[in-house]
Amino acid sequence: MTRYAYYIDLSICAGCESCTVACQNKNGLAPELAYTKVHRFETGTFPNLKSSFVAGQCFHCDEPACAAACPTGATYKTDEGPVLVNEAQCIGCKYCMVACPYDARVFDEEMGAARKCTECADRLASGRKPACVETCLTGARVIGDLDDPKSPIHALITQPDTVQMAGAGFYFRLPEGIAKEALPEARGTGVVYAWQSILQPLGQLLMGGAAAALLASAAAFAVKSVRGGGTEHGHD
Amino acid sequence: MVTTRAGAYRRQGERVFRFVLAERAAHWFHAISFLVLLATGLALVVRGAAAFLGGDVMRTFGLTHRIVAVIFTVVAVPVLMLGARKSTGEWVRSAFRFDRDDFRFLAGFPKDFFGVKVTLPDQGRFNAGEKINSIFQIIGWFVMVVTGWMLVWKDALPRDLARWTLATHSFTALFLGAVVLGHIYLASIHPHARPGFTGMTSGWVPAWWAQGHYRKWYNKLPGE
Ligand code: HEM
Ligand code: SF4
Ligand code: SF4
């Protein structure tokens, strides 16, 4: 099997946004839409400010909130790791945009679909690298197969200053002096899973229960009228 | 528009006038728009429904949901305020007030529902079960309208708020769906309740039925 892991070395990221542009070209995105963005951030207090970059994009979650919320099944998780969307099946309801904790879904008005980073699954299938990895000037972006013992990804993600994104095969190496709090954090998705796995089934159970009760009532009256030979009327 | 002048609700021979035109119109605008909203919304909930119906139908459902939501939001309240203000006020007030007869009615209702013989206490214009349905419909309308319009702009809301709004809209819809199944069954099929159905069509119900079901109300009606 293949299980992809993605690694970004923020200590050498130059913030040049070549990845953003290469991705837009590869995916035919309008200039105002981007699957991967590079945010500059600062830590510390003046005059000891430290400036660095962090990439914001889809982390291909192990249990994606976007796929859990998707009512059509257009968004789905693949065994190899990438979370994909079948754009023809997407109805544009934007549930996934509400669900994703990282704001990684991109709504393409022209297409009427909530698109996303595919980890270039099509390229990976033919042995190529994602556009962002291929184009990265400093080599900060690396993709590898966790199930391949020879993959160089293992050495990278086991470095002491590397942080794994919780619940995702996605790793950042932090620049010196930058705490992991600088990385995006997944919050508030509990209600998405609770809605999908508790509230929706419970609500449907209530409707089913009501239907069963009234069928039982109708059956009771039918039996009564057959036994009694006459029809019921409203006098008790 | 038919007025609610004293005497609109009255006995006349074997019949009793129960609902004025504004009440019936508001009821049906509300009922039909509710059912369309429920059906078009359920397609997003029931597993496999979206795949079965296909993208085009689902997108049309989404548009229909938004258009019919306008009717659901703006019709019932003004119609009731213009055409049946006093009676609507009394309905809302009475819906939230339960006396001892109401509790005894509720205790005996399950038996009556399944056709077991039971003597239920005298009721006012609306019985305790109808009061509970009224409470659910009044609060439910408000919740669905507020959360529904928020969801039209869900991508502009703070993410956490949008998630809670979606969960609330979704669960309240299913809960109200369960309530409405019971309401439709009672009103159109249940042998003890269905003689009242014409109250929501012509406005008139059989006098014997009104007397049996709403004795406290019936006894106060002006008659001929
Ligand atoms: C009682 C009346 C209503 C019922 C029964 C109802 C039902 C539903 C249901 C079952 C869903 C799907 C929830 C899910 O996926 O779990 C839904 C979604 C939605 N409803 Fe309603 N709804 C009602 C009123 C409204 C109103 C007044 C609006 C206002 C515009 C509205 C706007 C929406 C929106 C925007 C969505 C999200 C799906 C989409 O974007 O197409 N609903 N509704
Ligand atoms: S980061 Fe967002 S878009 Fe990517 S898989 Fe997770 S929930 Fe989905
Ligand atoms: S917008 Fe498309 S991909 Fe996103 S939840 Fe709706 S149907 Fe699924």
Side-chain angles (χ1 to χ4, degrees):
Chain A
M1 263 251 326
T2 307
R3 272 187 310 136
Y4 289 111
Y6 198 109
Y7 166 89
I8 303 181
D9 187 344
L10 294 177
S11 69
I12 58 173
C13 170
C16 68
E17 303 189 14
S18 301
C19 49
T20 308
V21 176
C23 173
Q24 285 172 319
N25 285 339
K26 192 254 167 187
N27 293 294
L29 293 174
E32 68 278 8
L33 303 180
Y35 291 161
T36 181
K37 296 172 199 146
V38 181
H39 306 292
R40 172 190 287 274
F41 69 96
E42 266 147 27
T43 50
T45 44
F46 187 82
N48 299 314
L49 283 176
K50 251 180 135 36
S51 170
S52 188
F53 305 97
V54 65
Q57 63 176 77
C58 171
F59 300 122
H60 300 278
C61 308
D62 297 337
E63 286 171 21
C66 63
C70 179
T72 61
T75 298
Y76 60 99
K77 173 87 180 164
T78 59
D79 291 339
E80 294 76 25
V83 174
L84 303 179
V85 52
N86 178 343
E87 282 140 3
Q89 231 178 316
C90 171
I91 56 169
C93 71
K94 300 185 179 172
Y95 281 12
C96 52
M97 306 182 77
V98 166
C100 173
Y102 303 112
D103 270 340
R105 302 299 299 246
V106 171
F107 200 79
D108 189 328
E109 295 287 348
E110 210 170 304
M111 207 180 250
R115 303 178 65 190
K116 71 183 297 300
C117 162
T118 63
E119 218 164 3
C120 285
D122 53 342
R123 286 177 166 228
L124 292 171
S126 58
R128 290 179 68 198
K129 286 183 177 141
C132 49
V133 173
E134 216 166 62
T135 202
C136 182
L137 294 177
T138 61
R141 289 173 175 260
V142 179
I143 195 159
D145 176 4
L146 290 176
D147 286 347
D148 173 5
K150 294 195 300 280
S151 170
I153 194 83
H154 297 288
L156 295 172
I157 64 177
T158 47
Q159 297 167 108
D161 46 0
T162 297
V163 179
Q164 180 177 10
M165 293 300 293
F170 208 104
Y171 301 80
F172 282 107
R173 179 169 177 225
L174 293 164
E176 210 178 318
I178 301 284
K180 69 172 199 282
E181 281 67 37
L183 297 178
E185 214 189 328
R187 276 177 47 253
T189 47
V191 58
V192 174
Y193 298 112
W195 158 50
Q196 285 292 324
S197 54
I198 301 171
L199 293 178
Q200 280 195 352
L202 182 66
Q204 289 175 88
L205 201 67
L206 282 177
M207 288 188 71
L214 56 86
L215 284 175
S217 162
F221 279 102
V223 168
K224 256 178 86 166
S225 79
V226 169
R227 283 224 190 115
T231 44
E232 275 284 332
H233 61 74
H235 289 301
D236 265 335
Chain B
M1 188 130 288
V2 170
T3 64
T4 55
R5 83 199 118 75
Y9 308 99
R10 63 193 187 279
R11 257 178 281 167
Q12 196 175 80
E14 290 300 297
R15 304 187 306 167
V16 165
F17 192 64
R18 184 155 166 78
F19 293 113
V20 298
L21 181 61
E23 290 170 314
R24 286 175 276 144
H27 176 270
W28 288 115
F29 269 106
H30 189 78
I32 291 167
S33 55
F34 176 92
L35 291 176
V36 174
L37 289 164
L38 183 63
T40 50
L42 270 182
L44 291 168
V45 178
V46 178
R47 285 260 166 269
F52 176 76
L53 294 169
D56 287 339
V57 173
M58 289 303 294
R59 272 184 286 270
T60 311
F61 273 19
L63 187 62
T64 309
H65 200 82
R66 283 159 176 73
I67 294 169
V68 175
V70 178
I71 298 173
F72 185 78
T73 305
V74 304
V75 174
V77 174
V79 167
L80 288 174
M81 284 303 104
L82 289 172
R85 185 190 291 263
K86 185 158 165 280
S87 138
T88 300
E90 285 165 7
W91 164 59
V92 173
R93 271 193 301 278
S94 78
F96 288 91
R97 208 171 287 151
F98 287 76
D99 63 16
R100 198 197 289 227
D101 282 343
D102 288 323
F103 292 118
R104 283 174 40 224
F105 177 94
L106 291 176
F109 178 74
K111 282 189 176 170
D112 186 62
F113 184 75
F114 290 110
V116 179
K117 229 178 178 56
V118 58
T119 311
L120 296 170
D122 293 350
Q123 297 287 288
R125 185 176 177 210
F126 297 102
N127 68 41
E130 290 172 310
K131 288 183 181 186
I132 289 181
N133 183 49
S134 302
I135 293 172
F136 288 151
Q137 296 310 327
I138 293 164
I139 295 175
W141 172 80
F142 185 77
V143 171
M144 295 312 288
V145 165
V146 171
T147 56
W149 289 109
M150 286 169 75
L151 287 178
V152 171
W153 293 281
K154 54 174 114 53
D155 50 332
L157 298 176
R159 292 288 184 245
D160 273 317
L161 180 63
R163 291 173 192 146
W164 280 102
T165 307
L166 197 43
T168 307
H169 191 79
S170 174
F171 184 72
T172 311
L174 300 175
F175 177 80
L176 293 174
V179 173
V180 90
L181 283 177
H183 176 72
I184 293 172
Y185 169 72
L186 282 163
S188 58
I189 297 173
H190 192 276
H192 296 174
R194 80 173 163 223
F197 193 88
T198 52
M200 271 303 163
T201 52
S202 65
W204 295 90
V205 297
W208 65 263
W209 181 80
Q211 188 178 25
H213 274 74
Y214 308 107
R215 194 175 300 272
K216 292 184 207 169
W217 177 66
Y218 180 86
N219 287 342
K220 277 191 249 162
L221 284 175
E224 292 184 356

